[in-house]
């Protein structure tokens, strides 16, 4: 076959379920993701970031190239994941945007990025209205990120039916990608040929197909190569880039027509599910680029060059991850993680409970929304632009286009609460809630929390008309029983969500008041998705005890709901803290000022029992404490409280070790057993010393080597994970400083000393971030080193190359590769 007709496309579906606390709009600590803060952060480190700067290495495991896989592969990112990356991993987000931009240049103006239905809802199970909103929100999110409308859209779980594909087409989507078993039958577009069935995934996957609808709309469909996709995801094909490429090339049929061999898997296969998978992909893409018999492409570019010559029909209600169609998201179909004795009977009542809640909201939304919007459902479709930009101007544009009349401030708050209720009514259908084994799993608990937020907002917006919603929802949810006896049923899980997560403005004010005892806030500050304005705050002390009294204005940055509060916080040291909060309007200025003055006087006389009685009389209760803080802030403040205690322990153990070090050396040299208490002190002291030395700037290399020698001599196990993490962060900071200096020889020398020192650690380091920054400096060195004198350039080049070598970079190969790329680009 002529090389101009053999094309390869590799697609990665990058997605994580939304994990944000629905009241705080932030992902809280997930201990199961340790040592990372949460699973988004962990998978970003293992997959999303590495694919933006994937390594190609030589036989000595030195880096010869750093490449952006997103520029060469086809991909889609779930919108909720992409928004998290933009906020929390901006460097990775920029690499994704850069890869997408470069793909347009590489593939004749066609982007390698596909859009995705917004929050991974199973669209064949959605209402027609929700299905359209999901598609329109996905399109808007794509345009916001990449600056142009999408040509293709990825369907969550590739779950499809004819109505879903027609909705894609009528919203301007040109193509989608499905699994081969989702094809029902095909035939040529020209002529009178009969339909040919394609049972058991026998469809020819090397060509695109046209799916036509009675309405006159149509959409192109690519059916991916099933066996090779499974081999990548589940059979270790990524272990060998050469085998990967060979398998892809074997997919071509002996024919003279243009053909596309393409695979599709979870993008997380490349680094998260398979360690170093991004390197395997980078190597395979490099081999394919160098192969003169094939061409890399993306779906949109191939479709533009070779429109469908065949049409198809699909099997309605099918997906790529359930052999029973789409039953995994509504029944006990047998698709699960295989835990003996467990069932998924809970899926059906969970689906029914959410469907019934969604449907019950429709008439209430239309009645209330009719007072606020010209067309409440058109407003919901447009609300995505407010979600993507929470600024005041964005909200003003939204209301200018959709409000039924000029809204008052209270009407505006109610309108935003109505839209937020509808947003969470979308999020509560995120597919991951049904995918796994039990209703008590974190993904299912997440969508139940979204439903709880829906019901709270419904109460705010509809008042008494919403009174029946929660009881009916809980009756149905109570039918969904967990496989874990201690978890009970869905209703019990819901109540736990509400008890531990649900917030109102008073609780936000309490969090602010308690946190202010330990942190210094500006007069105006943002606390998660709330804006806090300090009106007044005074602190009175007596010994270790402190009383903080003040007033603050709390406003939701999402809905604009706002209220002013007064607060009193009494702290006796450590975790001993009690606080009270109430709306400021309830007491008035005079009463609060009188309370503050009397309480201050009692503190000065150290009459704390009377201070507590004063707080109880004025506030009626003092029922907030350290446990009232939001999860992450509670951990941070407990850490602050523990710091002094841990410092004392560290000092004591270090003293014990230093006093008895010679005895420990003797025992080690003589091969005699060491007392466990002395070994504990040695391990703590040496690892603590290494941590402190690593964090020093500049690093004391001699002291560092001394601690390493002691560890070796006394056979002290090193805290590898902690020390590796600190070393990575320390090297990253040194490289950031070097990059920001625009050519400082002093900072280059510091970075080089640190890098040399780190090579002495007796375990492998992950210096991924530092290597990336070295590469960025290398690529921009011709114009970015503005602080470097011409006569110093030779010394810079020599030391910078040495720094690269310490970071396991083959600088000569790197330089040769860049020169080759420059020549190729010029040609």
């Amino acid at each position: 076959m002529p090389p101009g007709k053999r094309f390869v496309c590799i697609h990665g579906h990058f997605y994580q379920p939304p994990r944000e606390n629905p009241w705080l709009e932030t992902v809280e600590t997930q201990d199961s993701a340790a040592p990372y803060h949460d699973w988004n952060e962990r998978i970003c480190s293992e997959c999303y970031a590495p694919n933006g700067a994937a390594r190609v290495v030589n036989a000595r495991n030195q880096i010869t190239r750093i490449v952006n896989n997103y520029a060469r592969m086809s991909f889609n990112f779930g919108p909720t994941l992409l928004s998290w990356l933009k906020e929390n991993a901006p460097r990775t987000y920029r690499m994704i945007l850069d890869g997408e931009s470069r793909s347009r240049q590489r593939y004749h103006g066609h982007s390698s990025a596909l859009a995705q239905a917004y929050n991974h809802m199973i669209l064949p199970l959605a209402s027609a209205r929700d299905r359209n909103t999901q598609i329109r929100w996905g399109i808007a999110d794509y345009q916001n990120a990449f600056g142009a409308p999408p040509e293709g859209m990825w369907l969550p779980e590739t779950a499809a039916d004819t109505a879903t594909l027609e909705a894609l087409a009528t919203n301007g989507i040109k193509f989608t990608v499905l699994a081969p078993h989702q094809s029902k039958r095909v035939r040529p577009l020209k002529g009178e040929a009969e339909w040919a069935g394609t049972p058991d995934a026998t469809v020819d996957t090397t060509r695109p197909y046209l799916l036509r609808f009675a309405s006159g709309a149509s959409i192109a469909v690519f059916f991916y190569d099933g066996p090779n996709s499974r081999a990548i995801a589940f059979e270790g094909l990524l272990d060998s880039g050469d085998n990967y490429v060979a398998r892809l090339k074997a997919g071509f049929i002996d024919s003279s027509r243009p053909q596309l061999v393409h695979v599709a898997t979870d993008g997380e296969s490349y680094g998260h599910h398979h360690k170093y998978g991004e390197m395997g992909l980078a190597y395979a893409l490099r081999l394919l680029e160098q192969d003169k018999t094939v061409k890399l492409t993306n779906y949109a570019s191939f479709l533009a060059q070779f429109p469908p010559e065949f049409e198809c029909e699909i099997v309605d209600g099918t997906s790529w991850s359930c052999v029973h169609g789409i039953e995994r998201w509504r029944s006990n179909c047998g698709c699960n993680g295989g835990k003996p004795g467990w069932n998924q009977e809970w899926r059906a009542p969970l689906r029914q409970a959410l469907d019934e809640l969604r449907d019950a909201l429709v008439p209430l939304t239309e009645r209330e929304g009719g007072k606020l919007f010209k067309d409440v459902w058109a407003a919901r479709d447009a609300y995505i632009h407010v979600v993507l930009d929470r600024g005041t101007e964005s909200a003003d544009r939204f209301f200018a286009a959709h409000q039924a009349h000029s809204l008052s401030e209270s009407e505006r708050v109610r309108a935003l609460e109505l839209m937020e209720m509808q947003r969470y009514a979308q999020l509560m259908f995120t597919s991951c809630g049904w995918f796994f084994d039990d209703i008590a799993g974190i993904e299912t608990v997440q969508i139940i929390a979204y439903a709880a937020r829906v019901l709270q907002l419904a109460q705010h917006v509809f008042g008494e008309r919403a009174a029946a919603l929660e009881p009916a929802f809980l009756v149905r949810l109570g039918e969904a029983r967990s496989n874990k006896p201690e978890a009970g049923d869905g209703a019990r899980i819901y109540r736990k969500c509400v008890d531990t997560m649900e917030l109102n403005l008073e609780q936000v004010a309490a969090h602010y008041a308690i946190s202010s005892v330990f942190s210094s806030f500006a007069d105006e500050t943002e606390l998660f998705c709330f804006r806090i304005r300090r009106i007044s705050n005074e602190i009175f002390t007596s010994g270790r005890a402190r009383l903080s009294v003040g007033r603050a204005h709390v406003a939701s940055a999402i809905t604009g709901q706002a209220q002013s509060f007064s607060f009193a916080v009494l702290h006796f040291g450590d975790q001993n803290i009690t606080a009270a909060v109430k709306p400021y309007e309830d007491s008035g200025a005079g009463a609060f000022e009188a309370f503050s003055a009397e309480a201050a006087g009692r503190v000065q006389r150290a009459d704390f029992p009377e201070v507590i009685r004063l707080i109880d009389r004025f506030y009626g209760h003092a029922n907030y404490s350290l446990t009232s803080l939001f999860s992450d802030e509670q951990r941070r403040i407990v850490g602050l409280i523990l710091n002094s205690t841990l410092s004392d322990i560290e000092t004591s153990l270090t003293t014990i070790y230093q006093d008895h070090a010679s005895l420990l050396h003797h025992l080690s040299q003589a091969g005699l057993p060491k007392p466990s208490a002395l070994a504990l002190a040695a391990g703590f002291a040496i690892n603590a010393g290494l941590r402190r030395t690593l964090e020093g700037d500049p690093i004391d290399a001699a002291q560092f080597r001394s601690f390493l020698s002691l560890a070796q001599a006394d056979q002290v196990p090193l805290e590898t994970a902690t020390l590796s993490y600190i070393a990575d962060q320390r090297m990253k900071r040194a490289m950031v400083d070097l990059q920001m200096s625009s050519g400082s020889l002093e900072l280059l020398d510091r970075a080089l000393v640190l890098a040399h020192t780190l090579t002495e650690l007796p375990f492998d380091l992950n210096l991924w971030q530092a290597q990336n920054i070295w590469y960025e400096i290398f690529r921009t060195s011709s114009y970015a080193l503005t602080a470097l004198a011409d006569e110093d350039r030779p010394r810079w080049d020599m030391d910078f190359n040495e720094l690269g070598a310490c970071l396991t970079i083959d600088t000569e190969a790197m330089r040769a590769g860049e020169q080759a790329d420059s020549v190729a680009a010029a040609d």
Side-chain angles (χ1 to χ4, degrees), residues 27 40 55 94 175 222 272 276 321 330 477 533 553 557 579 601 604 607 673 716 739 773 801:
V27 181
N40 281 5
R55 275 63 170 146
R94 288 194 300 271
F175 70 88
F222 292 90
H272 172 56
Y276 305 126
S321 51
R330 64 180 175 188
L477 200 59
R533 177 169 55 84
H553 184 74
Q604 290 171 357
D607 187 359
V716 171
Q739 186 176 37
I773 300 170
N801 284 342

Side-chain angles (χ1 to χ4, degrees), residues 327-641:
E327 294 305 306
R328 188 167 195 156
W329 298 277
R330 64 180 175 188
S331 74
N332 182 30
C333 68
C335 291
N336 54 49
K339 293 194 175 182
W342 282 28
N343 67 70
Q344 286 71 50
E345 295 290 351
W346 53 270
R347 286 176 178 163
L350 174 63
R351 170 68 60 179
Q352 193 171 353
L354 294 175
D355 282 349
E356 290 171 353
L357 175 57
R358 174 200 63 203
D359 294 344
L361 292 172
V362 170
L364 295 171
T365 296
E366 291 178 341
R367 178 178 173 183
E368 189 64 29
K371 303 173 188 177
L372 302 167
F373 297 107
K374 290 181 284 190
D375 180 337
V376 69
W377 302 116
R380 184 180 79 165
D381 285 345
Y383 185 64
I384 184 61
H385 298 291
V386 179
V387 175
L388 293 169
D389 177 3
R390 292 293 187 179
T392 302
E393 292 182 3
S394 174
D396 288 344
R397 288 192 297 271
F398 170 73
F399 282 115
H402 296 282
Q403 62 190 356
H405 59 271
S406 182
L407 301 183
S408 67
E409 194 62 35
S410 61
E411 286 178 317
R412 188 165 164 141
V413 169
R414 196 161 73 255
L416 289 171
E417 287 183 329
L418 180 63
M419 290 294 100
E420 281 297 299
M421 182 199 74
Q422 282 295 327
R423 178 168 77 95
Y424 281 109
Q426 299 287 300
L427 290 171
M428 70 185 186
F429 285 105
T430 300
S431 70
C432 308
W434 287 267
F435 192 85
F436 298 101
D437 285 358
D438 195 71
I439 192 172
I442 59 174
E443 294 83 4
T444 314
V445 170
Q446 184 74 32
I447 67 168
I448 291 173
Y450 289 146
R453 180 63 171 147
V454 167
L455 287 163
Q456 183 193 47
L457 288 165
Q459 187 66 42
H460 289 180
V461 177
F462 306 133
E464 286 302 314
R465 288 172 289 158
L469 293 177
E470 186 178 58
F473 178 71
L474 291 179
V475 168
R476 184 68 69 195
L477 200 59
E479 298 172 9
R481 298 201 60 79
S482 170
N483 291 286
K484 302 175 180 178
E486 67 275 14
D489 56 37
R492 183 174 172 184
I493 292 168
Y494 171 90
R495 292 188 184 97
K496 185 176 180 181
C497 282
V498 171
D499 288 345
T500 59
M501 297 176 71
E502 188 174 20
L503 289 175
N504 55 39
L505 292 182
E506 180 180 304
Q507 289 166 295
V508 177
H511 176 98
Y512 170 79
I514 295 170
S515 294
S516 67
V517 173
F518 300 92
S519 306
S520 178
F521 289 117
D523 288 342
E524 294 189 6
T525 190
E526 290 191 0
L527 202 62
F528 300 101
C529 60
F530 298 93
R531 298 189 181 105
I532 316 290
R533 177 169 55 84
R534 181 171 58 209
I535 301 171
S536 67
N537 188 207
E538 292 182 283
I539 296 178
F540 308 99
T541 63
S542 178
R544 292 190 67 195
R546 290 184 291 173
L547 173 68
S548 173
V549 294
R551 292 184 292 138
H553 184 74
V554 182
S556 167
I558 307 296
T559 66
Q561 182 192 17
Q563 195 170 8
S564 293
F565 297 90
S566 71
F567 60 82
V569 183
L570 187 59
H571 182 215
F572 291 107
D574 293 338
Q575 81 283 4
N576 302 304
I577 194 166
T578 185
V581 177
K582 72 175 179 179
Y584 180 67
E585 296 81 1
D586 289 357
S587 55
F592 175 72
E593 297 300 336
F595 158 75
S596 298
E598 186 173 358
R602 296 293 181 178
V603 170
Q604 290 171 357
R605 292 193 289 274
D607 187 359
F608 292 107
E610 183 58 28
V611 173
I612 294 171
R613 284 190 287 271
L614 283 171
I615 292 173
D616 286 340
R617 284 199 298 270
F618 185 75
Y619 286 95
H621 56 79
N623 54 354
Y624 292 107
S625 66
L626 200 60
T627 59
S628 306
L629 291 170
F630 307 149
S631 174
D632 281 12
E633 186 72 358
Q634 187 178 144
R635 289 170 183 246
R636 185 186 71 84
I637 289 174
V638 168
L640 291 175
I641 292 169

Side-chain angles (χ1 to χ4, degrees), residues 65-85:
R65 303 298 302 274
I66 295 179
V67 297
N68 188 333
N69 284 343
Y70 301 119
R72 292 167 172 81
M73 69 186 300
S74 171
F75 66 90
N76 74 279
F77 270 86
T80 53
L81 171 60
L82 199 61
S83 67
W84 182 90
L85 290 167

Side-chain angles (χ1 to χ4, degrees), residues 1-7 258-259 292-295 302 305-306:
M1 183 190 302
K5 294 188 177 182
R6 290 160 48 108
F7 295 85
Q259 292 182 77
K292 302 302 182 184
T293 68
V294 297
K295 286 187 178 180
F302 186 87
Q305 295 177 75
F306 309 108

Side-chain angles (χ1 to χ4, degrees), residues 647-662:
S647 179
D648 291 343
I649 294 171
E650 181 179 319
T651 300
S652 297
L653 288 173
T654 300
T655 300
I656 291 170
Y657 170 66
Q658 290 172 343
D659 289 346
H660 303 283
S662 61

Side-chain angles (χ1 to χ4, degrees), residues 680-753:
L680 173 67
F684 193 95
I686 290 173
N687 280 289
L690 284 168
R691 289 197 303 271
R692 284 196 307 271
T693 308
L694 276 175
E695 290 166 349
D697 188 16
I699 190 169
D700 187 333
Q703 188 178 53
F704 185 80
R705 293 188 188 98
S706 174
F707 281 119
L708 284 179
S709 297
L710 288 173
Q712 183 177 17
D714 294 334
Q715 302 169 8
V716 171
L718 296 181
E719 296 172 357
T720 303
T722 301
L723 294 173
S724 177
Y725 179 81
I726 294 172
D728 176 36
Q729 295 300 308
R730 183 66 190 84
M731 195 68 233
K732 174 192 171 185
R733 289 198 304 271
M735 294 304 293
V736 168
D737 291 344
L738 179 61
Q739 186 176 37
M740 297 297 291
S741 76
S742 301
S744 166
L745 288 171
E746 178 185 355
L747 291 179
L748 175 57
D749 184 61
R750 285 192 187 185
L752 184 56
V753 169

